[in-house]
């Protein structure tokens, strides 16, 4: 049995590759959905000896199949969505592993959580009690050990007061993490000039406002909150790891997560030199489900642990690999 804790100690590419291949073999043997998929698209799935030979499971499989590499699970995370069949399900066999992943990753990017007060403006997620994002933020709020940390739904009056008051306190920085439409509502309500606060958006308008390109969104938020950079968090129900950007749209992955750009017209062509295309993600924290996922996002490769997010693949629900579902 693989000791999954080892993924957090990866130091270099050869260690990452070894863990990848070990986890691929484990998932190929134990995850029946993934195994059938690999058998369908691979000439010899038992002879995979390079990362770029590993098959990536289309993310839409999480909507219709139980993606699990073990017999037991502790929790199911659901994506937000209006109907059951449009929601992704991620079966989690170890919440401890998820916690270790997001706590280590937060520390890598922002240092100790107790240096921050966390304010969350995530109204649409908050209604989904099985959201992996809400689970993560609840835990970070608790670990911050700040009595000021907490969730705000659409109480912009109190949130404004709280932001202005906390911004003057020097002993801790504040992180306001929010879904973009709620952050925009917030600056429609009030304009700020913040000096000791990080504004972090978690992507997507969730149908509440017209989608905007990142640069336009960030310009508006920078002006409205009076900050020089907008941070971003990139995660999804189907993953147990996140990438963070501290501005300029460049996301950094931790050592146990990698982004590979695939050809938008040929899902099996993983050209590592390709500058932009659709995003494949290796998330080794997904040890008990599937660590190799072909997402519906578009991105640009920058280097081994950095990428840029460009947008979504058009008609992502009806393209290419997804017909195999």
């Amino acid at each position: 049995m693989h000791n999954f804790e080892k993924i957090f100690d990866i130091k270099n590419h050869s260690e990452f590759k070894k863990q990848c291949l070990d986890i691929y073999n484990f998932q190929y043997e134990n995850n029946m959905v993934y195994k059938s998929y690999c058998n369908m698209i691979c000439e010899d799935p038992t002879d995979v000896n390079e990362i770029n030979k590993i098959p990536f499971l289309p993310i839409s499989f999480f909507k219709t199949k139980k993606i699990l590499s073990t017999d037991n699970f502790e929790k199911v995370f659901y994506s937000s969505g209006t109907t059951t069949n449009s929601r992704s399900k991620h079966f989690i066999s170890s919440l401890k592993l998820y916690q270790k992943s997001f706590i280590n990753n937060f520390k890598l990017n922002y240092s100790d959580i107790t240096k921050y007060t966390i304010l969350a403006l995530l109204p649409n997620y908050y209604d989904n009690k099985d959201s992996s994002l809400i689970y993560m933020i609840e835990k970070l709020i608790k670990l911050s050990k700040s009595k000021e940390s907490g969730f705000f739904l659409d109480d912009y009056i109190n949130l404004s007061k709280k932001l202005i008051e906390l911004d003057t306190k020097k002993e801790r920085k504040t992180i306001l993490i929010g879904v973009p439409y709620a952050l925009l509502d917030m600056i429609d309500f009030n304009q700020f000039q913040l000096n000791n606060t990080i504004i972090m958006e978690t992507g997507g308008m969730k149908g509440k406002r017209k989608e905007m390109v990142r640069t336009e969104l960030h310009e508006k938020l920078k002006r409205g909150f009076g900050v020089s950079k907008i941070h971003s968090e990139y995660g999804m129900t189907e993953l147990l790891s996140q990438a963070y950007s501290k501005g300029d749209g460049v996301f950094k992955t931790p050592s146990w997560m990698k982004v590979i750009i695939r050809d938008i017209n040929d899902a099996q062509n993983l050209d590592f030199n390709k500058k932009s295309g659709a995003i494949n993600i290796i998330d080794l924290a997904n040890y008990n489900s599937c660590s190799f996922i072909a997402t519906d996002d578009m991105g640009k490769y920058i280097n081994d642990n950095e990428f840029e997010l460009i947008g979504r693949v058009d008609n992502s629900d009806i393209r290419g690999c997804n017909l195999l579902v």
Side-chain angles (χ1 to χ4, degrees):
M1 185 67 173
H2 184 277
N3 170 14
F4 58 66
E5 302 271 337
K6 287 195 305 194
I7 64 169
F8 302 115
D9 301 325
I10 291 172
K11 301 281 185 292
N12 54 42
H13 183 72
S14 65
E15 287 181 17
F16 181 79
K17 178 183 168 180
K18 183 185 182 316
Q19 296 263 20
C20 263
L21 295 172
D22 285 354
I23 289 175
Y24 164 72
N25 288 316
F26 167 75
Q27 292 178 348
Y28 176 73
E29 284 308 316
N30 294 284
N31 182 328
M32 291 309 114
V33 175
Y34 185 51
K35 185 173 193 157
S36 333
Y37 180 72
C38 293
N39 289 344
M40 192 161 48
I41 66 162
C42 253
E43 273 179 37
D44 186 359
T46 56
D47 187 31
V48 168
N49 54 7
E50 287 298 334
I51 291 176
N52 62 347
K53 298 264 184 359
I54 294 175
F56 284 77
L57 188 73
I59 199 163
S60 53
F61 274 57
F62 282 84
K63 289 182 178 179
T64 55
K65 308 278 183 203
K66 187 175 183 178
I67 312 294
L68 200 56
S69 299
T70 60
D71 295 331
N72 306 314
F73 59 93
E74 207 179 319
K75 169 101 183 133
V76 184
F77 286 129
Y78 287 88
S79 64
S80 41
T82 43
T83 62
T84 318
N85 57 357
S86 71
R87 297 172 77 190
S88 286
K89 300 176 291 298
H90 193 180
F91 291 83
I92 309 298
S93 53
S94 169
L95 284 167
K96 183 179 160 218
L97 177 57
Y98 180 37
Q99 287 176 36
K100 191 148 191 179
S101 174
F102 67 67
I103 291 166
N104 280 7
N105 199 11
F106 184 92
K107 208 170 195 164
L108 283 171
N109 285 280
Y110 294 101
S111 87
D112 202 310
I113 181 76
T114 54
K115 294 181 175 168
Y116 297 90
T117 294
I118 310 272
L119 306 180
L121 186 57
L122 301 162
N124 59 310
Y125 287 100
Y126 199 70
D127 296 339
N128 173 11
K129 294 303 174 203
D130 299 307
S131 153
S132 56
L133 178 64
I134 293 294
Y135 182 90
M136 173 174 99
I137 300 299
E138 274 177 346
K139 283 279 179 281
L140 292 176
I141 282 173
K142 203 170 178 178
L143 289 167
S144 75
K145 295 190 165 70
S146 161
K147 62 181 194 313
E148 307 283 3
S149 289
F151 285 90
F152 290 78
L153 292 177
D154 42 15
D155 183 359
Y156 297 126
I157 296 175
N158 279 324
L159 180 52
S160 290
K161 282 184 193 154
K162 177 76 75 187
L163 265 181
I164 293 163
E165 175 201 332
L166 288 173
D167 196 65
T168 60
K169 295 187 175 175
K170 292 290 172 268
E171 62 273 16
R172 278 177 186 250
K173 256 182 132 63
T174 302
I175 295 179
L176 171 63
I177 180 165
V179 68
Y181 78 83
L183 292 173
L184 289 168
D185 289 350
M186 180 78 196
I187 56 174
D188 282 350
F189 175 81
N190 200 359
Q191 299 280 300
F192 300 86
Q193 202 55 55
L194 301 171
N195 301 306
N196 197 31
T197 301
I198 290 170
I199 306 296
M200 185 187 290
E201 52 94 0
T202 91
M205 291 296 182
K206 309 298 173 196
K208 306 281 185 182
R209 281 185 180 234
K210 186 173 68 65
E211 289 293 340
M212 261 183 213
V213 294
R214 181 189 53 79
T215 43
E216 185 194 353
L217 170 68
H218 283 205
E219 277 314 312
K220 279 196 162 174
L221 293 177
K222 283 193 286 199
R223 279 199 307 274
F225 286 105
V227 293
S228 59
K229 298 259 189 230
I230 298 296
H231 293 221
S232 309
E233 182 265 353
Y234 176 75
M236 50 188 79
T237 305
E238 301 84 354
L239 301 178
L240 290 186
S241 302
Q242 312 72 37
Y244 287 103
S245 163
K246 295 185 177 182
D248 313 318
V250 174
F251 286 88
K252 209 178 178 67
T253 54
S255 60
W256 59 92
M257 178 189 188
K258 290 269 180 284
V259 159
I260 294 172
I261 302 297
R262 72 176 187 269
D263 189 314
I264 189 144
N265 299 311
D266 175 5
Q268 299 321 311
N269 174 12
L270 301 183
D271 178 354
F272 281 75
N273 300 317
K274 194 170 273 302
K275 282 288 172 262
S276 61
I279 290 178
N280 281 358
I281 290 178
I282 299 175
D283 180 6
L284 298 184
N286 267 12
Y287 177 70
N288 292 315
S289 54
C290 181
S291 290
F292 311 98
I293 296 174
T295 76
D296 293 331
D297 290 328
M298 294 285 290
K300 260 186 201 163
Y301 175 86
I302 294 176
N303 59 43
D304 234 17
N305 64 346
E306 290 185 320
F307 68 98
E308 225 176 293
L309 202 53
I310 305 173
R312 301 280 288 167
V313 176
D314 285 342
N315 301 327
S316 54
D317 269 349
I318 53 171
R319 273 184 87 92
C321 314
N322 298 1
L323 299 175
L324 294 166
V325 177

